[in-house]
Amino acid sequence: MSVDVRLDQGRLSRFLRLRGGIVERNLARRTSRVADVAKALAPGSMGGYIDWHIEEGADGLQGVVTCDHPAALYVLEGTRPHIIRPRRARVLRFEVDGRVVYSAIARHPGTRANNFLGRALRLSR
């Protein structure tokens, strides 16, 4: 008795990459893990703005992790030293060592870049 098995690679590839298939479930699991690690590494309340989804890309399915926080770009890339001026008032109000301080301008020292999304991708392998 002889058995002849033929695999159509294109059909097999399409079967694996179907929505809800094995590849998508594995990709969703891994993308969710990256998003969870990014939420843990994100500074302050930024973790609440992190979300993930699976989308169809040019090369097939892609897992996407996004952060919709308004300051996400400044945290990821850092900022240079800059001067802060008031927008609607005449002076800025700060609390320093328990005392209220008023100033016409403030010199911000800048912030170091914190690429927590890249670190989350590396840590969740």
mmCIF file of all heavy atoms in Angstrom, residues 27-51:
data_model
loop_
_atom_site.group_PDB
_atom_site.id
_atom_site.type_symbol
_atom_site.label_atom_id
_atom_site.label_comp_id
_atom_site.label_asym_id
_atom_site.label_seq_id
_atom_site.Cartn_x
_atom_site.Cartn_y
_atom_site.Cartn_z
ATOM 1 N N LEU A 27 0.083 35.504 17.725
ATOM 2 C CA LEU A 27 0.494 36.905 17.608
ATOM 3 C C LEU A 27 -0.241 37.764 18.640
ATOM 4 O O LEU A 27 0.355 38.649 19.259
ATOM 5 C CB LEU A 27 0.230 37.416 16.192
ATOM 6 C CG LEU A 27 0.670 38.832 15.879
ATOM 7 C CD1 LEU A 27 2.173 38.986 16.046
ATOM 8 C CD2 LEU A 27 0.257 39.193 14.462
ATOM 9 N N ALA A 28 -1.525 37.497 18.858
ATOM 10 C CA ALA A 28 -2.302 38.260 19.842
ATOM 11 C C ALA A 28 -1.767 38.012 21.249
ATOM 12 O O ALA A 28 -1.655 38.952 22.052
ATOM 13 C CB ALA A 28 -3.773 37.875 19.762
ATOM 14 N N ARG A 29 -1.415 36.791 21.552
ATOM 15 C CA ARG A 29 -0.879 36.471 22.873
ATOM 16 C C ARG A 29 0.438 37.200 23.114
ATOM 17 O O ARG A 29 0.657 37.806 24.171
ATOM 18 C CB ARG A 29 -0.684 34.958 22.996
ATOM 19 C CG ARG A 29 -0.166 34.500 24.334
ATOM 20 C CD ARG A 29 -0.034 32.983 24.402
ATOM 21 N NE ARG A 29 0.686 32.387 23.282
ATOM 22 C CZ ARG A 29 2.013 32.365 23.170
ATOM 23 N NH1 ARG A 29 2.762 32.927 24.091
ATOM 24 N NH2 ARG A 29 2.587 31.801 22.123
ATOM 25 N N ARG A 30 1.305 37.192 22.122
ATOM 26 C CA ARG A 30 2.610 37.835 22.269
ATOM 27 C C ARG A 30 2.488 39.363 22.305
ATOM 28 O O ARG A 30 3.192 40.040 23.060
ATOM 29 C CB ARG A 30 3.535 37.395 21.144
ATOM 30 C CG ARG A 30 3.830 35.892 21.231
ATOM 31 C CD ARG A 30 4.689 35.440 20.130
ATOM 32 N NE ARG A 30 6.067 35.793 20.476
ATOM 33 C CZ ARG A 30 7.110 35.411 19.778
ATOM 34 N NH1 ARG A 30 6.958 34.683 18.696
ATOM 35 N NH2 ARG A 30 8.319 35.761 20.150
ATOM 36 N N THR A 31 1.600 39.920 21.495
ATOM 37 C CA THR A 31 1.394 41.376 21.483
ATOM 38 C C THR A 31 0.804 41.836 22.806
ATOM 39 O O THR A 31 1.189 42.884 23.342
ATOM 40 C CB THR A 31 0.479 41.777 20.316
ATOM 41 O OG1 THR A 31 1.015 41.257 19.096
ATOM 42 C CG2 THR A 31 0.363 43.283 20.191
ATOM 43 N N SER A 32 -0.108 41.058 23.357
ATOM 44 C CA SER A 32 -0.693 41.381 24.652
ATOM 45 C C SER A 32 0.376 41.367 25.747
ATOM 46 O O SER A 32 0.381 42.224 26.637
ATOM 47 C CB SER A 32 -1.791 40.375 24.993
ATOM 48 O OG SER A 32 -2.233 40.535 26.300
ATOM 49 N N ARG A 33 1.301 40.435 25.672
ATOM 50 C CA ARG A 33 2.383 40.359 26.653
ATOM 51 C C ARG A 33 3.281 41.602 26.568
ATOM 52 O O ARG A 33 3.668 42.171 27.586
ATOM 53 C CB ARG A 33 3.206 39.098 26.434
ATOM 54 C CG ARG A 33 4.265 38.895 27.476
ATOM 55 C CD ARG A 33 4.962 37.577 27.366
ATOM 56 N NE ARG A 33 4.882 37.004 26.022
ATOM 57 C CZ ARG A 33 5.374 35.840 25.677
ATOM 58 N NH1 ARG A 33 5.985 35.098 26.562
ATOM 59 N NH2 ARG A 33 5.265 35.392 24.447
ATOM 60 N N VAL A 34 3.597 42.050 25.347
ATOM 61 C CA VAL A 34 4.408 43.262 25.172
ATOM 62 C C VAL A 34 3.673 44.469 25.756
ATOM 63 O O VAL A 34 4.271 45.301 26.446
ATOM 64 C CB VAL A 34 4.746 43.501 23.684
ATOM 65 C CG1 VAL A 34 5.390 44.860 23.479
ATOM 66 C CG2 VAL A 34 5.644 42.404 23.155
ATOM 67 N N ALA A 35 2.360 44.573 25.512
ATOM 68 C CA ALA A 35 1.578 45.695 26.033
ATOM 69 C C ALA A 35 1.546 45.678 27.560
ATOM 70 O O ALA A 35 1.640 46.732 28.202
ATOM 71 C CB ALA A 35 0.167 45.662 25.467
ATOM 72 N N ASP A 36 1.434 44.502 28.169
ATOM 73 C CA ASP A 36 1.424 44.411 29.631
ATOM 74 C C ASP A 36 2.755 44.858 30.226
ATOM 75 O O ASP A 36 2.790 45.558 31.239
ATOM 76 C CB ASP A 36 1.106 42.983 30.068
ATOM 77 C CG ASP A 36 -0.335 42.591 29.774
ATOM 78 O OD1 ASP A 36 -1.161 43.503 29.552
ATOM 79 O OD2 ASP A 36 -0.624 41.379 29.754
ATOM 80 N N VAL A 37 3.863 44.462 29.610
ATOM 81 C CA VAL A 37 5.180 44.880 30.094
ATOM 82 C C VAL A 37 5.341 46.394 29.905
ATOM 83 O O VAL A 37 5.868 47.082 30.777
ATOM 84 C CB VAL A 37 6.309 44.107 29.375
ATOM 85 C CG1 VAL A 37 7.674 44.662 29.733
ATOM 86 C CG2 VAL A 37 6.230 42.630 29.713
ATOM 87 N N ALA A 38 4.863 46.935 28.777
ATOM 88 C CA ALA A 38 4.945 48.383 28.531
ATOM 89 C C ALA A 38 4.130 49.155 29.563
ATOM 90 O O ALA A 38 4.563 50.215 30.029
ATOM 91 C CB ALA A 38 4.461 48.706 27.121
ATOM 92 N N LYS A 39 2.966 48.628 29.956
ATOM 93 C CA LYS A 39 2.162 49.290 30.985
ATOM 94 C C LYS A 39 2.908 49.340 32.311
ATOM 95 O O LYS A 39 2.826 50.321 33.047
ATOM 96 C CB LYS A 39 0.829 48.568 31.165
ATOM 97 C CG LYS A 39 -0.131 48.785 30.035
ATOM 98 C CD LYS A 39 -1.399 47.995 30.227
ATOM 99 C CE LYS A 39 -2.305 48.147 29.018
ATOM 100 N NZ LYS A 39 -3.548 47.388 29.141
ATOM 101 N N ALA A 40 3.645 48.279 32.616
ATOM 102 C CA ALA A 40 4.403 48.244 33.865
ATOM 103 C C ALA A 40 5.599 49.197 33.830
ATOM 104 O O ALA A 40 5.959 49.785 34.852
ATOM 105 C CB ALA A 40 4.877 46.828 34.145
ATOM 106 N N LEU A 41 6.212 49.371 32.668
ATOM 107 C CA LEU A 41 7.393 50.227 32.542
ATOM 108 C C LEU A 41 7.059 51.701 32.318
ATOM 109 O O LEU A 41 7.920 52.564 32.490
ATOM 110 C CB LEU A 41 8.275 49.747 31.381
ATOM 111 C CG LEU A 41 8.933 48.381 31.523
ATOM 112 C CD1 LEU A 41 9.673 48.025 30.244
ATOM 113 C CD2 LEU A 41 9.872 48.367 32.704
ATOM 114 N N ALA A 42 5.841 52.003 31.913
ATOM 115 C CA ALA A 42 5.463 53.380 31.582
ATOM 116 C C ALA A 42 5.479 54.260 32.831
ATOM 117 O O ALA A 42 5.062 53.835 33.905
ATOM 118 C CB ALA A 42 4.076 53.406 30.945
ATOM 119 N N PRO A 43 5.959 55.497 32.694
ATOM 120 C CA PRO A 43 5.996 56.398 33.852
ATOM 121 C C PRO A 43 4.621 56.985 34.162
ATOM 122 O O PRO A 43 3.803 57.215 33.261
ATOM 123 C CB PRO A 43 6.964 57.497 33.402
ATOM 124 C CG PRO A 43 6.860 57.510 31.920
ATOM 125 C CD PRO A 43 6.579 56.089 31.518
ATOM 126 N N GLY A 44 4.362 57.182 35.433
ATOM 127 C CA GLY A 44 3.134 57.849 35.870
ATOM 128 C C GLY A 44 1.866 57.163 35.407
ATOM 129 O O GLY A 44 1.742 55.943 35.482
ATOM 130 N N SER A 45 0.932 57.949 34.893
ATOM 131 C CA SER A 45 -0.362 57.424 34.439
ATOM 132 C C SER A 45 -0.335 57.002 32.974
ATOM 133 O O SER A 45 -1.374 56.647 32.418
ATOM 134 C CB SER A 45 -1.444 58.486 34.636
ATOM 135 O OG SER A 45 -1.186 59.600 33.790
ATOM 136 N N MET A 46 0.825 57.030 32.351
ATOM 137 C CA MET A 46 0.934 56.727 30.925
ATOM 138 C C MET A 46 0.545 55.289 30.607
ATOM 139 O O MET A 46 0.113 54.975 29.508
ATOM 140 C CB MET A 46 2.350 57.023 30.433
ATOM 141 C CG MET A 46 2.428 57.237 28.951
ATOM 142 S SD MET A 46 4.002 57.929 28.434
ATOM 143 C CE MET A 46 3.818 59.609 28.964
ATOM 144 N N GLY A 47 0.678 54.377 31.564
ATOM 145 C CA GLY A 47 0.318 52.983 31.340
ATOM 146 C C GLY A 47 -1.156 52.785 31.013
ATOM 147 O O GLY A 47 -1.527 51.854 30.306
ATOM 148 N N GLY A 48 -1.997 53.672 31.504
ATOM 149 C CA GLY A 48 -3.427 53.591 31.219
ATOM 150 C C GLY A 48 -3.781 53.932 29.782
ATOM 151 O O GLY A 48 -4.900 53.651 29.333
ATOM 152 N N TYR A 49 -2.859 54.524 29.061
ATOM 153 C CA TYR A 49 -3.104 54.917 27.676
ATOM 154 C C TYR A 49 -2.542 53.913 26.668
ATOM 155 O O TYR A 49 -2.581 54.158 25.470
ATOM 156 C CB TYR A 49 -2.478 56.291 27.405
ATOM 157 C CG TYR A 49 -3.181 57.420 28.105
ATOM 158 C CD1 TYR A 49 -2.848 57.762 29.416
ATOM 159 C CD2 TYR A 49 -4.173 58.151 27.477
ATOM 160 C CE1 TYR A 49 -3.479 58.794 30.069
ATOM 161 C CE2 TYR A 49 -4.804 59.187 28.106
ATOM 162 C CZ TYR A 49 -4.459 59.509 29.411
ATOM 163 O OH TYR A 49 -5.094 60.534 30.052
ATOM 164 N N ILE A 50 -2.000 52.807 27.134
ATOM 165 C CA ILE A 50 -1.396 51.814 26.241
ATOM 166 C C ILE A 50 -2.436 50.792 25.842
ATOM 167 O O ILE A 50 -3.175 50.268 26.676
ATOM 168 C CB ILE A 50 -0.186 51.139 26.917
ATOM 169 C CG1 ILE A 50 0.906 52.176 27.133
ATOM 170 C CG2 ILE A 50 0.323 49.972 26.078
ATOM 171 C CD1 ILE A 50 2.101 51.675 27.886
ATOM 172 N N ASP A 51 -2.510 50.506 24.548
ATOM 173 C CA ASP A 51 -3.456 49.544 24.006
ATOM 174 C C ASP A 51 -2.774 48.755 22.898
ATOM 175 O O ASP A 51 -1.726 49.154 22.410
ATOM 176 C CB ASP A 51 -4.683 50.271 23.450
ATOM 177 C CG ASP A 51 -5.859 49.349 23.244
ATOM 178 O OD1 ASP A 51 -5.858 48.238 23.818
ATOM 179 O OD2 ASP A 51 -6.780 49.731 22.500
#
